[in-house]
Amino acid sequence: MFPLKPTFKSYLLPVQTDLKKTPQPPIKKLEAKLLPGEIVVNEVSFVRKCIGADSSHGDLWGKLICTNFKVSFITHDALPKQRFQVANRLLGEHDVPLACVEQVVTVNDAKGKQKVLCSNQKLKFNPTELILYCKDFRIIRFRFDEAGPQSAKKVCLAIAHYSHPADPQLLFGFEYVGKQNYGSLGERVNGVDPGGGLQMPLFDRPSEWDREIKRTGAAEWRVCSINEGYVVSSSLPEYFVVPVSLADQDLKQYLCFFTAHRIPLWCWNHPNGSALVRMASISDPLQQRKLDQRICSAITKSHPQRSDVLKSDLDKNLPNIQDIQAAFVKVRQICVIEPFEESEEKWLSSMESSRWLEYVRSFLKHSAEVVYLLEGKHVSVILQEEEDRDLSCVVSSLVQLMLDPHFRSLTGFQSLVQKEWVMAGHRFLDRCNHLKKNNKEESPLFQLFLDCVWQIINQYPAAFEFTETYLTVLSDSMWIPVFSTFLFNCSQQRTENSMDFAKSKCIPLGEEKALRFPPVWDWSQQFTSKDQALFNNPMYVGKGATCVQNGTVKSFRRTKKNYSSTLRGMPSSLRNILMDGHDSLTLTRRNSLVPWLKPDFSQIREVVESPTERFFRDWVSRPADLQGMLIPQLLPSHLALWRLYFLRWVPEASIPKGGSVTAYHKLSQLADEVEMLQSQLRQYKGATPASTPTSNPSTPSSDHSRMYFKAVSTHEPSSTPEYLSSSFPFSPVGNMCRRSILGTPLSKFLNGAKIWLSTETLANEAL
């Protein structure tokens, strides 16, 4: 019997198995996202961004683009780890502002050559690799194995050229502001009003100085306007505060005797009447005594008790800007360039030899001594510096931060920087070396100040409204050449350059004196409101903080009993020995940290206690008032390396699901939960008898929470998110390279600190 033949017949077409004929999804073209005024200068395709330290596994392929604002890498690939959570509105994940590029290094593997490129230089070999050393401690590598040699060379030369602008008006901020904010008729475009919605003073008008005078109770001080139009001094603001007893005519007479015509400036008034004043040196020695007496007499008259005035010469008592720059270079070398295989003891020894923490301690110590004079002795203090534009910015800011809790709030801190740095004429253009013209003028004074602030936050975390993430982002914003805050040496320079630029570009300014650059304090320019929540400290105890007592929501007023003294677990004989055994402001410039590691206890007990030591000993023995005076403890064991800032790009130093961010995560959730409970209690208290909290939903929307991490429900696990690490919210992936990278002859090139020498020196030494 034969099997039956199949009778089924299919009327469907066979399944297509030829992969070549399968329709492919269209590949999206790789293009950079451009800001107003931004143009593409050069680009090269088939570029590999190096991610892995020892192999090409996980590297990203894409297009490298140079614009007049940034170096941009565009890719369809995803990073091997989850993308970091915070996004900058001005920069992409793989973007680097040109102002952030410290050095451009090109390498040719076959010829064993490398060269540091400067502006308008020639490159005699075709690069196989590009390394960008960045001012925020990143090191980024690109390989041109598959790219066109000439295209690779052109993009390297373009990056070197545009990262070295020859004139302030070539900084991208001018093009951006001109296109973003002004139309052909001078009208506002895009609905943008830079800084218009800020709830903080910029101190560019008399009314804001008046409010600060009233806030501090400085009744015998007044706003002076003799510098309107910058007719008196180019580096001073148009408006500043002087003693009432000094007439404008007197000030105009004294001007020529002060360096750069920088007459004394009022900074702050203590509630007891003592004033903090800063001034430049008196350039005419013959007038020194007479002017000193006249200025001190005017300050004395402004004090209710007619107290004395003491002067602190910062140039004699603190490291100079070159010392600070040298220490910063060494720290960068230790944290970024040198390998991490060394022992902990050797690494700590290297860190100490850099002297960075020693200088941090020097500024904190000197500021604490000024605090003692204002608070303990009720005398006014003059901070004197050659030009009153560098060291005095650091000290005056730290003194006010220690004494006035207003400046520990986010808005208050920003107004402090605006007042004591921006309006006082700190040379941000020169100290940041935005034009890369003079390495001798470069110095990280603002980074030093932020490190000092972090040290105080680290010791008194509940006293500040803002976080270390905020301080780090603020430092990074120095390298985004858009904000007026960090772009100029003084207000007059901004006005003069923006007027010239507007004239050359035919931008009608209308009634405005100059282009209105956005201040960095308008954080909506960079981050969403959710991302800005990372700035908020969940532990902050402010004057207006609320608490729940016996089921009632009350305003939270701290008393001495409310504070913990757990931060003070040290022998009373060693607590805050801030003075050098005498009651003066003299500081040893090179006081090593080593003697503090092994103090001689017998000698300490025998030394007669000075009034300054007694003042700080008494203060340390009491519980801390977080809304009062704060004095940092300054033994070496109390000062720490600011890990998030210095080590965030180092993979070996990154702790997955660890570090301080894990505590921040839990505390934010708790703070958010407390906020919701407080809202429920308030609504419950105001509810009618017929209503209940359940019938009247009371939990606030999560969108209105101050915290980045929201409270989790009882049904959800409260585990640490996978993307959290000690580097959060920054991603070390793809932002760091090591000497051991395969195929790159960099070991000799990176030996020692040569990579951070001047570009001219390196260019001459290149093969």
Side-chain angles (χ1 to χ4, degrees):
M1 196 175 169
F2 298 99
L4 296 175
K5 293 182 179 180
T7 58
F8 176 79
K9 183 178 181 181
S10 174
Y11 292 91
L12 298 176
L13 295 175
V15 177
Q16 176 63 262
T17 58
D18 190 350
L19 295 178
K20 294 182 180 180
K21 296 181 180 180
T22 302
Q24 297 290 333
I27 298 177
K28 187 178 180 181
K29 189 176 180 181
L30 295 174
E31 293 181 349
K33 293 181 179 179
L34 303 178
L35 298 174
E38 187 178 7
I39 58 173
V40 173
V41 176
N42 223 304
E43 60 184 38
V44 56
S45 299
F46 307 109
V47 176
R48 176 161 56 92
K49 182 180 182 182
C50 301
I51 301 296
D54 298 309
S55 69
S56 61
H57 179 70
D59 288 354
L60 306 179
W61 287 89
K63 179 187 289 186
L64 184 62
I65 300 173
C66 175
T67 75
N68 57 339
F69 167 51
K70 63 179 182 280
V71 178
S72 185
F73 180 73
I74 313 298
T75 179
H76 289 315
D77 299 335
L79 285 172
K81 295 184 179 180
Q82 182 173 346
R83 298 169 67 89
F84 69 155
Q85 302 299 299
V86 181
N88 193 302
R89 287 176 164 175
L90 300 177
L91 295 165
E93 189 173 357
H94 301 283
D95 293 349
V96 181
L98 289 169
C100 188
V101 175
E102 175 83 9
Q103 288 182 340
V104 180
V105 180
T106 53
V107 180
N108 183 286
D109 291 337
K111 297 183 178 181
K113 293 183 177 181
Q114 60 272 322
K115 184 178 180 65
V116 176
L117 288 179
C118 297
S119 181
N120 296 320
Q121 276 193 333
K122 293 183 179 180
L123 186 58
K124 296 182 180 180
F125 58 80
N126 293 325
T128 57
E129 183 173 10
L130 169 68
I131 308 175
L132 300 180
Y133 291 84
C134 304
K135 292 184 177 181
D136 62 0
F137 283 34
R138 278 183 292 176
I139 302 178
I140 305 175
R141 291 179 57 232
F142 300 100
R143 296 284 303 179
F144 302 123
D145 302 317
E146 307 295 331
Q150 289 302 316
S151 298
K153 179 188 289 189
K154 288 180 180 178
V155 81
C156 292
L157 291 171
I159 293 171
H161 177 74
Y162 281 88
S163 62
H164 290 72
D167 186 85
Q169 295 178 35
L170 294 177
L171 292 166
F172 174 68
F174 286 88
E175 293 287 349
Y176 175 76
V177 171
K179 289 289 196 306
Q180 174 84 342
N181 300 327
Y182 296 91
S184 58
L185 301 177
E187 76 280 6
R188 290 281 173 184
V189 297
N190 298 334
V192 176
D193 185 12
L198 287 179
Q199 301 298 316
M200 57 161 286
L202 296 177
F203 295 101
D204 56 356
R205 58 193 69 184
S207 60
E208 293 176 337
W209 286 106
D210 271 327
R211 281 196 292 271
E212 187 66 8
I213 289 174
K214 292 176 182 177
R215 189 189 71 82
T216 58
E220 297 300 316
W221 297 81
R222 67 178 180 89
V223 180
C224 177
S225 58
I226 63 172
N227 198 37
E228 275 187 337
Y230 307 102
V231 295
V232 163
S233 173
S234 60
S235 62
L236 287 177
E238 290 189 283
Y239 310 101
F240 47 88
V241 177
V242 297
V244 168
S245 59
L246 279 180
D248 286 355
Q249 196 61 35
D250 295 331
L251 292 172
K252 291 178 182 178
Q253 183 181 348
Y254 303 151
L255 276 169
C256 59
F257 301 119
F258 287 91
T259 302
H261 293 183
R262 290 183 64 90
I263 54 180
L265 302 177
W266 173 85
C267 300
W268 181 79
N269 246 56
H270 194 283
N272 64 29
S274 301
L276 180 66
V277 181
R278 52 190 287 185
M279 75 176 191
S281 298
I282 298 172
S283 54
D284 189 343
L286 300 177
Q287 298 291 329
Q288 176 83 39
R289 184 181 181 87
K290 177 183 176 182
L291 276 179
D292 272 343
Q293 289 179 344
R294 184 69 184 93
I295 297 300
C296 289
S297 174
I299 296 174
T300 297
K301 289 179 182 179
S302 70
H303 197 291
Q305 282 77 45
R306 300 295 189 264
S307 183
D308 292 336
V309 178
L310 295 182
K311 185 186 294 184
S312 169
D313 191 334
L314 302 184
D315 290 321
K316 292 181 179 179
N317 297 327
L318 290 170
N320 58 43
I321 63 170
Q322 289 81 18
D323 291 338
I324 296 169
Q325 171 68 3
F328 193 68
V329 167
K330 290 178 182 177
V331 171
R332 186 160 46 186
Q333 174 75 17
I334 296 165
C335 294
V336 176
I337 304 283
E338 293 179 353
F340 261 63
E341 290 84 18
E342 298 173 346
S343 65
E344 180 181 352
E345 182 180 354
K346 185 176 180 181
W347 196 87
L348 292 173
S349 175
S350 299
M351 186 59 64
E352 182 189 351
S353 66
S354 73
R355 312 191 75 172
W356 176 258
L357 286 175
E358 177 186 335
Y359 294 157
V360 168
R361 177 182 177 272
S362 294
F363 277 89
L364 286 170
K365 178 183 178 187
H366 196 89
S367 302
E369 291 171 344
V370 175
V371 166
Y372 160 69
L373 296 175
L374 293 165
E375 171 86 13
K377 298 193 72 173
H378 294 201
V379 300
S380 296
V381 178
I382 296 176
L383 304 175
Q384 188 167 38
E385 186 187 8
E386 179 65 27
E387 281 199 14
D388 178 38
R389 302 177 71 178
D390 290 309
L391 309 181
S392 55
C393 297
V394 182
V395 175
S396 63
S397 300
L398 290 175
V399 169
Q400 294 172 69
L401 201 70
M402 293 177 190
L403 284 171
D404 194 338
H406 168 69
F407 295 125
R408 297 171 213 150
S409 68
L410 183 61
T411 301
F413 181 78
Q414 295 180 162
S415 68
L416 177 67
V417 174
Q418 185 71 24
K419 175 167 67 83
E420 297 299 327
W421 292 79
V422 181
M423 299 311 295
H426 178 65
R427 302 175 185 270
F428 277 110
L429 182 69
D430 294 340
R431 299 299 177 247
C432 295
N433 205 8
H434 285 318
L435 304 183
K436 299 182 176 64
K437 283 186 175 180
N438 191 345
N439 291 333
K440 293 181 180 179
E441 294 292 323
E442 184 175 359
S443 187
L445 286 161
F446 192 65
Q447 289 96 329
L448 177 81
F449 164 65
L450 295 181
D451 199 333
C452 291
V453 175
W454 179 84
Q455 300 291 341
I456 307 175
I457 292 178
N458 195 41
Q459 294 184 24
Y460 304 99
F464 293 81
E465 186 180 15
F466 48 89
T467 62
E468 66 171 341
T469 297
Y470 167 80
L471 295 178
T472 309
V473 168
L474 178 58
S475 178
D476 289 345
S477 299
M478 296 173 67
W479 316 121
I480 303 179
V482 166
F483 308 112
S484 59
T485 313
F486 304 123
L487 214 52
F488 305 99
N489 286 333
C490 57
S491 299
Q492 187 270 346
Q493 187 187 53
R494 174 183 63 84
T495 301
E496 180 181 343
N497 277 276
S498 60
M499 287 181 67
D500 291 345
F501 180 82
K503 185 177 181 180
S504 67
K505 298 290 184 178
C506 299
I507 300 175
L509 295 177
E511 297 180 357
E512 297 183 355
K513 296 180 182 179
L515 295 175
R516 292 194 61 181
F517 288 79
V520 72
W521 319 122
D522 183 6
W523 291 107
S524 61
Q525 297 267 341
Q526 294 192 68
F527 304 104
T528 64
S529 56
K530 174 176 170 55
D531 288 346
Q532 290 178 56
L534 281 171
F535 299 167
N536 299 327
N537 179 12
M539 300 176 64
Y540 177 58
V541 178
K543 284 187 177 180
T546 56
C547 67
V548 180
Q549 194 174 66
N550 296 328
T552 304
V553 179
K554 296 182 177 180
S555 181
F556 198 54
R557 304 295 179 190
R558 283 291 196 181
T559 63
K560 291 181 180 179
K561 294 180 180 179
N562 293 111
Y563 292 106
S564 168
S565 58
T566 54
L567 294 174
R568 301 157 186 262
M570 54 181 296
S572 59
S573 59
L574 291 177
R575 286 174 180 163
N576 263 356
I577 303 177
L578 296 173
M579 301 294 287
D580 293 327
H582 49 80
D583 194 9
S584 72
L585 281 175
T586 304
L587 276 171
T588 306
R589 178 172 294 175
R590 299 188 176 275
N591 46 345
S592 173
L593 293 176
V594 177
W596 292 89
L597 291 172
K598 297 180 179 179
D600 189 333
F601 290 83
S602 60
Q603 290 183 3
I604 291 175
R605 285 193 293 269
E606 292 172 2
V607 171
V608 178
E609 192 175 47
S610 71
T612 311
E613 292 172 336
R614 190 181 311 115
F615 173 81
F616 288 117
R617 177 176 57 78
D618 291 343
W619 183 85
V620 171
S621 66
R622 301 191 301 267
D625 179 4
L626 300 187
Q627 284 299 309
M629 181 179 70
L630 290 183
I631 302 296
Q633 300 186 74
L634 298 176
L635 290 177
S637 58
H638 298 133
L639 298 183
L641 182 70
W642 185 7
R643 289 176 55 91
L644 183 65
Y645 180 77
F646 290 106
L647 299 177
R648 54 186 159 150
W649 309 119
V650 181
E652 294 92 332
S654 181
I655 307 171
K657 301 177 70 173
S660 59
V661 72
T662 55
Y664 177 78
H665 169 247
K666 298 296 183 185
L667 289 169
S668 297
Q669 290 180 329
L670 287 172
D672 187 51
E673 187 174 357
V674 169
E675 185 179 339
M676 290 191 296
L677 290 172
Q678 288 174 345
S679 177
Q680 290 176 352
L681 284 169
R682 282 191 294 267
Q683 294 203 16
Y684 181 82
K685 183 179 178 181
T688 61
S691 64
T692 63
T694 54
S695 62
N696 184 15
S698 57
T699 53
S701 169
S702 60
D703 294 339
H704 296 90
S705 172
R706 291 181 63 254
M707 295 297 108
Y708 183 84
F709 298 106
K710 308 297 190 295
V712 296
S713 67
T714 55
H715 305 291
E716 298 177 4
S718 182
S719 59
T720 305
E722 290 292 333
Y723 57 81
L724 284 188
S725 74
S726 57
S727 300
F728 182 85
F730 309 98
S731 172
V733 178
N735 291 306
M736 192 67 209
C737 75
R738 286 284 172 233
R739 296 193 205 180
S740 58
I741 293 172
L742 187 63
T744 307
L746 291 178
S747 56
K748 180 180 178 181
F749 183 61
L750 294 180
N751 187 34
K754 287 177 63 177
I755 186 63
W756 303 113
L757 296 176
S758 68
T759 50
E760 289 81 3
T761 303
L762 281 168
N764 293 333
E765 293 184 2
L767 295 175

